[in-house]
């Protein structure tokens, strides 16, 4: 128990151009070594490419992709008394699901073959919004593993 009281909750800031918190969360995940302006450049170029490809609002594509990739259930490793480990299915809350979705989208876009990160990110976001792509496969694999280990749910 903390002696100093509870820490106050901080809300995520919104980005300067779109005034959107989701965009800022994605930028913070793209950022490496504190280079936030480079992360903004990458995302804004990706957004411009999405605009050219789909001719719809790129923020809607980003939201749709995040919604499609967000997992409902995941697995957590638990060790029993005998020392063997088991993957126990657990429900994932909305905040953790959102963070996992953003992480999976960025990992899948980094693994894609392509010219630069903006091109790869835009392709992955469009694919995820349509229901295909590496991030969607990761979500389906997680759901399959949770479904296969459903018998172990009482170990939670």
């Amino acid at each position: 128990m903390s002696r100093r009281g509870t820490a106050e909750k901080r809300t995520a800031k919104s980005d300067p151009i779109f005034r959107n918190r989701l965009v800022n969360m994605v930028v913070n995940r793209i950022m490496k070594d504190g280079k936030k302006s480079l992360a903004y450049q990458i995302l804004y170029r990706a957004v411009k490419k999405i605009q050219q490809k789909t001719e719809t609002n790129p923020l809607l594509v980003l939201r749709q992709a995040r919604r499609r990739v967000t997992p409902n259930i995941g697995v957590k490793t638990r060790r029993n008394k005998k020392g063997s480990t088991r993957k126990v299915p657990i429900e994932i809350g909305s905040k953790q699901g959102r963070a996992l979705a953003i992480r999976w989208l960025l990992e899948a876009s980094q693994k894609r073959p392509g010219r630069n990160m903006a091109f790869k990110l835009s392709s992955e976001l469009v694919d995820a919004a349509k229901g295909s792509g590496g991030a969607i496969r990761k979500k389906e694999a997680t759901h399959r593993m949770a479904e296969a280990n459903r018998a172990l749910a009482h170990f939670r």
Side-chain angles (χ1 to χ4, degrees), residues 50 54 56-66 122 125-126 129:
I50 290 170
T54 61
T56 58
N57 185 357
L59 285 184
L60 291 176
V61 173
L62 178 64
R63 277 196 205 106
Q64 181 75 19
R66 201 239 31 226
S122 65
L125 287 173
V126 169

Side-chain angles (χ1 to χ4, degrees), residues 133-155:
I136 296 284
R137 282 197 300 274
K138 174 86 171 167
K139 175 194 171 184
E140 288 169 354
T142 304
H143 276 243
R144 271 197 306 272
M145 192 177 294
E147 190 66 30
N149 293 327
R150 197 169 61 183
L152 305 174
H154 64 280
F155 284 117

Side-chain angles (χ1 to χ4, degrees), residues 30-46:
I30 292 172
M31 179 173 60
K32 288 183 179 172
D33 300 327
K35 299 192 174 189
K36 198 165 205 170
S37 59
L38 182 63
Y40 272 120
Q41 277 180 11
I42 290 168
L43 187 73
Y44 291 150
R45 285 182 189 148

Side-chain angles (χ1 to χ4, degrees), residues 77-86:
T77 308
R78 292 270 186 236
R79 183 170 283 122
N80 66 1
K81 290 177 185 174
K82 295 177 182 173
S84 65
T85 57
R86 294 181 168 151

Side-chain angles (χ1 to χ4, degrees), residues 80-111:
N80 66 1
K81 290 177 185 174
K82 295 177 182 173
S84 65
T85 57
R86 294 181 168 151
K87 296 217 183 266
V88 178
I90 54 159
E91 285 184 23
I92 293 177
S94 63
K95 270 190 172 179
Q96 188 184 1
R98 195 178 316 136
L100 276 174
I102 292 170
R103 190 183 316 156
W104 289 349
L105 281 165
L106 292 175
E107 283 174 7
S109 57
Q110 284 170 352
K111 288 179 185 171

Side-chain angles (χ1 to χ4, degrees), residues 8-59:
E8 58 188 60
K9 297 255 185 212
R10 295 190 328 201
T11 58
K13 294 178 181 164
S14 53
D15 77 301
I17 291 182
F18 292 108
R19 304 252 181 260
N20 193 322
R21 292 204 324 241
L22 176 62
V23 171
N24 201 39
M25 287 170 71
V26 173
V27 164
N28 286 337
R29 288 298 307 183
I30 292 172
M31 179 173 60
K32 288 183 179 172
D33 300 327
K35 299 192 174 189
K36 198 165 205 170
S37 59
L38 182 63
Y40 272 120
Q41 277 180 11
I42 290 168
L43 187 73
Y44 291 150
R45 285 182 189 148
V47 163
K48 200 176 284 184
K49 282 198 175 31
I50 290 170
Q51 175 77 41
Q52 291 167 356
K53 282 181 193 175
T54 61
E55 297 173 0
T56 58
N57 185 357
L59 285 184

Side-chain angles (χ1 to χ4, degrees), residues 106-125:
L106 292 175
E107 283 174 7
S109 57
Q110 284 170 352
K111 288 179 185 171
R112 268 177 178 259
R115 288 171 270 178
N116 54 19
M117 186 57 189
F119 178 77
K120 296 192 283 188
L121 180 60
S122 65
S123 303
E124 183 63 36
L125 287 173

